[in-house]
């Protein structure tokens, strides 16, 4: 099988500097970014949310190239986390729909043209799909922000889609994508599976089905044959048990600020590491370990930075934090915050709801935290930062590694020996040094211990979708010997 000769990252282009206001209703706001940006301390001033003019056009199941109603005829609502209002009703798949989708994917693999194409032929289709993503990024970002609540400028930064195909495809790939980065995870999952010649049955989370359904339509527009990509939306207990997937449970992430680091830079980096995407990020740096010699200074500056964070309608330019995904996640986060207070941690700032509608939470900072507290050992998945004190490297290594999880860590230091020691000693799948949340299509992503199996992205992700065949043939008359 020939290899694709060019593998650039394509979907990482941002529209932050060029997005127009064509997708938003006119009248109340003349364009994106003209509303007042407010800090969480003026929560009562949250304005009436901007109404997107894009509609959730793709709300049915995608099976064998067609958008169809579910076998049961049931639908479920997907909500606007800014208000709690229903955006659209989406077809709710069940066992019969999964069977239809798997049958279509199996037939497309066994009898269709996709797995028989050369890698070059498949790459032409995927490159066309990537170009269509560029053309429709505004619509996709709007659906993602509307469905998920993340700031529009973040949603417009999509992901990577150009990959390389090697060896032989495995067949039908069952995939589940999460609600915190649905479009990005669509690219991470679907792109390598298709590039390797497989067919796909993809399950979206019930909170955020709209962007994946839209993107799947673009795949068909690009030329992917019917049955190659199938999308079934619905609730977890019904669907996820039916799919042979690699499940990932990605949890507590640790950020280390050493005594030699620049405090101001470390504060900003730690703030970004935790609060990005409302804290709803697999890599959220939820435990911030700070050396005792600079702990008090760091804590005061971290609290001040949290107080400056801008919160509001995620469609407004300049907003750093939108609402949490839904009422269930909102209540879970508030429960953790109450737990932190009850267990003896010091609530430095935040900890309250913003407004009386939607799922907005004040950026929250705790000090005097220890590893026995729930806020330090369980996954909050929200805007809650725990700042812990340590004395020396051996101590912080031991404390950080006493966890069941090990997805990623960040180290901020000016001493290379300190960085080298921590990167080797920490039991995690990825360590960022003097940076955080830096990704590339070629960099593998995955964790240790309970943080998943295998890797996403890079050459390593292809092993999830390829099987290796050894072919042995005797040679005679070896002329070159």
């Amino acid at each position: 099988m020939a290899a694709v000769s060019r593998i650039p990252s394509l979907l990482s282009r941002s529209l932050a500097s060029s997005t127009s206001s064509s997708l938003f209703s006119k009248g109340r706001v003349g364009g994106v970014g003209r509303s007042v940006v407010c800090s969480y301390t003026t929560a009562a001033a949250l304005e009436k949310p901007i109404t997107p003019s894009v509609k959730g056009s793709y709300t049915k199941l995608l099976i064998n190239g067609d958008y169809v109603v579910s076998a049961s005829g049931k639908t479920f609502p997907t909500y606007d986390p800014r208000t709690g209002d229903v955006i659209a009703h989406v077809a709710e798949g069940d066992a019969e729909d999964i069977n239809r989708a798997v049958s279509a994917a199996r037939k497309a693999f066994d009898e269709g043209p996709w797995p028989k194409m050369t890698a070059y032929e498949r790459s032409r289709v995927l490159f066309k799909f990537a170009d269509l993503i560029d053309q429709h990024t505004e619509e996709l970002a709007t659906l993602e922000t509307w469905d998920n609540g993340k700031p529009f400028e973040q949603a417009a930064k999509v992901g990577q889609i150009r990959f390389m195909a090697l060896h032989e495809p495995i067949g039908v790939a069952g995939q589940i994508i999460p609600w915190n980065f649905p479009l990005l995870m669509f690219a991470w999952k679907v792109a390598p599976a298709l590039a390797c010649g497989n067919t796909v049955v993809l399950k979206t989370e019930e909170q955020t089905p709209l962007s994946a359904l839209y993107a799947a339509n673009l795949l068909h527009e690009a030329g992917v044959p019917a049955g190659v990509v199938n999308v079934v939306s619905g609730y977890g207990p019904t669907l996820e048990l039916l799919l042979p997937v690699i499940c990932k449970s990605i949890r507590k992430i640790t950020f280390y600020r050493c005594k030699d680091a620049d405090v101001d830079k470390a504060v900003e980096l730690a703030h970004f590491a935790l609060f990005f995407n409302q804290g709803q990020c697999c890599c959220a740096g939820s435990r911030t370990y700070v050396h005792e010699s600079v702990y008090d200074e760091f804590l005061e500056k971290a609290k001040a930075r949290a107080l400056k964070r801008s919160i509001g309608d995620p469609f407004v330019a300049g907003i750093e934090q939108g609402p949490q995904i839904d009422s269930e996640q909102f209540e879970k986060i508030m429960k953790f915050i109450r737990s932190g207070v009850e267990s003896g941690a010091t609530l430095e700032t935040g900890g309250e709801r913003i407004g009386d509608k939607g799922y907005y939470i004040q950026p929250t900072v705790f000090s005097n935290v220890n590893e026995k507290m729930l806020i330090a050992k369980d996954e909050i998945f929200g805007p809650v930062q725990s700042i812990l004190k340590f004395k020396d490297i051996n101590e912080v290594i031991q404390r950080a590694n006493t966890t069941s999880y090990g997805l990623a860590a960040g180290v901020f230091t000016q001493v290379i020996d300190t960085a080298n020691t921590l990167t080797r000693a920490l039991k995690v799948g990825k360590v960022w040094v003097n940076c955080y949340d830096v990704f590339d299509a070629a960099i593998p992503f995955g964790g240790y211990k309970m943080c998943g199996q295998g890797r996403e992205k890079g050459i390593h992700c292809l092993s999830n979708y390829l099987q290796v065949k050894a072919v042995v043939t005797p040679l005679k008359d070896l002329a070159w010997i």
Side-chain angles (χ1 to χ4, degrees):
M1 181 178 292
V4 178
S5 59
R6 45 195 186 107
I7 322 170
S9 167
L10 189 69
L11 298 188
S12 57
R13 285 174 256 181
S14 169
L15 293 183
S17 61
S18 61
T19 302
S20 70
S21 62
S22 60
L23 298 181
F24 302 91
S25 57
K26 298 180 179 179
R28 191 188 73 79
V29 183
V32 179
R34 299 188 185 179
S35 295
V36 176
V37 174
C38 61
S39 72
Y40 78 75
T41 55
T42 55
L46 285 175
E47 299 183 358
K48 180 180 179 181
I50 292 174
T51 301
S53 59
V54 168
K55 303 300 179 185
S57 303
Y58 301 100
T59 57
K60 298 180 180 179
L61 311 180
L62 176 60
I63 299 177
N64 201 29
D66 294 319
Y67 284 92
V68 298
V69 298
S70 61
S72 67
K74 293 181 180 179
T75 63
F76 65 90
T78 181
Y79 297 96
D80 182 345
R82 301 174 300 166
T83 63
D85 296 337
V86 175
I87 299 173
H89 288 85
V90 180
E92 180 183 340
D94 58 20
E96 185 175 346
D97 300 300
I98 286 288
N99 288 334
R100 292 161 60 197
V102 171
S103 295
R106 172 53 61 187
K107 184 176 181 180
F109 183 79
D110 291 342
E111 303 175 18
W114 187 254
K116 300 178 180 65
M117 291 180 181
T118 64
Y120 172 72
E121 291 171 321
R122 286 198 297 271
S123 75
R124 295 183 64 183
V125 175
L126 294 179
F127 289 157
K128 184 177 180 181
F129 168 60
D131 291 337
L132 287 169
I133 288 288
D134 275 349
Q135 295 169 26
H136 292 268
T137 299
E138 241 183 280
E139 293 95 328
L140 288 164
T142 299
L143 290 173
E144 186 113 327
T145 293
W146 200 6
D147 220 12
N148 175 277
K150 68 179 59 183
F152 180 78
E153 292 171 338
Q154 294 176 14
K157 300 176 181 179
V158 188
Q160 296 83 26
I161 199 66
R162 298 192 174 181
F163 281 85
M164 182 176 183
L166 301 169
H167 305 306
E168 292 187 350
I170 58 172
V172 179
Q175 301 179 325
I176 299 174
I177 56 175
W179 52 255
N180 58 333
F181 290 96
L183 187 56
L184 181 66
M185 295 300 105
F186 182 93
W188 282 21
K189 294 286 188 183
V190 174
L194 295 186
C196 292
N198 298 283
T199 57
V200 170
V201 177
L202 179 99
K203 189 263 180 188
T204 67
E205 291 281 21
E206 64 269 19
Q207 295 95 333
T208 54
L210 299 182
S211 57
L213 288 166
Y214 192 107
N217 180 66
L218 297 181
L219 273 170
H220 285 96
E221 186 176 334
V224 171
V228 172
V229 175
N230 305 272
V231 180
V232 181
S233 301
Y235 294 99
T238 303
L239 298 180
E240 293 180 10
L241 294 178
L242 301 172
L243 286 175
V245 297
I246 297 175
C247 294
K248 293 199 170 181
S249 175
I250 26 192
R251 294 291 190 269
K252 301 299 291 185
I253 315 301
T254 302
F255 178 91
Y256 307 87
R257 192 276 173 198
C258 302
K259 63 181 179 180
D260 55 84
D262 182 297
V263 174
D264 292 332
K265 290 181 179 179
V267 165
E268 186 61 33
L269 193 62
H271 180 86
F272 170 76
L274 182 281
F275 291 103
F276 175 68
N277 200 42
Q278 293 76 256
Q280 298 171 154
C281 182
C282 301
C283 294
S286 50
R287 299 188 303 177
T288 305
Y289 285 90
V290 181
H291 192 271
E292 61 181 4
S293 64
V294 291
Y295 183 85
D296 292 340
E297 179 187 1
F298 184 99
L299 179 61
E300 287 304 311
K301 291 183 175 180
K303 181 169 66 174
R305 178 63 181 89
L307 287 165
K308 288 172 57 180
R309 189 166 181 80
S310 59
I311 303 167
D313 187 340
F315 283 113
V316 177
I319 286 293
E320 294 178 286
Q321 182 174 318
Q324 308 307 131
I325 182 69
D326 59 16
S327 59
E328 182 179 357
Q329 184 64 18
F330 174 88
E331 293 298 337
K332 174 187 172 184
I333 296 167
M334 297 305 293
K335 183 178 179 180
F336 271 111
I337 292 173
R338 291 192 295 270
S339 170
V341 174
E342 292 166 0
S343 62
T346 302
L347 179 61
E348 297 287 347
T349 187
E352 300 290 341
R353 179 176 192 155
I354 296 179
D356 56 5
K357 194 172 186 180
Y359 310 118
Y360 296 90
I361 296 178
Q362 294 176 346
T364 301
V365 177
F366 278 104
S367 63
N368 297 317
V369 179
N370 64 63
E371 288 81 6
K372 295 182 180 180
M373 297 177 180
L374 289 179
I375 58 173
K377 66 180 182 180
D378 286 354
E379 181 181 41
I380 301 174
F381 226 57
V384 181
Q385 182 181 34
S386 295
I387 302 180
L388 299 86
K389 184 187 298 185
F390 74 93
K391 293 182 179 180
D392 58 55
I393 285 184
N394 290 331
E395 174 202 340
V396 77
I397 291 171
Q398 187 274 328
R399 290 169 61 188
N401 284 335
T402 55
T403 173
S404 301
Y405 310 111
L407 180 61
V411 176
F412 205 86
T413 178
Q414 297 181 35
V415 178
I416 190 64
D417 289 340
T418 300
N420 286 338
T421 298
L422 286 170
T423 54
R424 289 298 186 94
L426 296 173
K427 305 303 182 184
V428 295
K430 172 172 277 187
V431 181
W432 286 287
V433 179
N434 294 333
C435 60
Y436 207 88
D437 270 352
V438 177
F439 294 96
D440 184 83
I443 301 175
F445 179 82
Y448 285 13
K449 296 183 276 190
M450 289 182 65
C451 288
Q453 303 173 23
R455 292 294 181 268
E456 305 280 2
K457 308 176 70 175
I459 193 70
H460 304 277
C461 79
L462 300 181
S463 62
N464 296 325
Y465 304 106
L466 293 168
Q467 51 194 355
V468 179
K469 177 186 292 181
V471 179
V472 181
T473 304
L475 299 178
K476 296 181 179 180
D477 301 323
L478 304 182
W480 59 87
I481 294 180

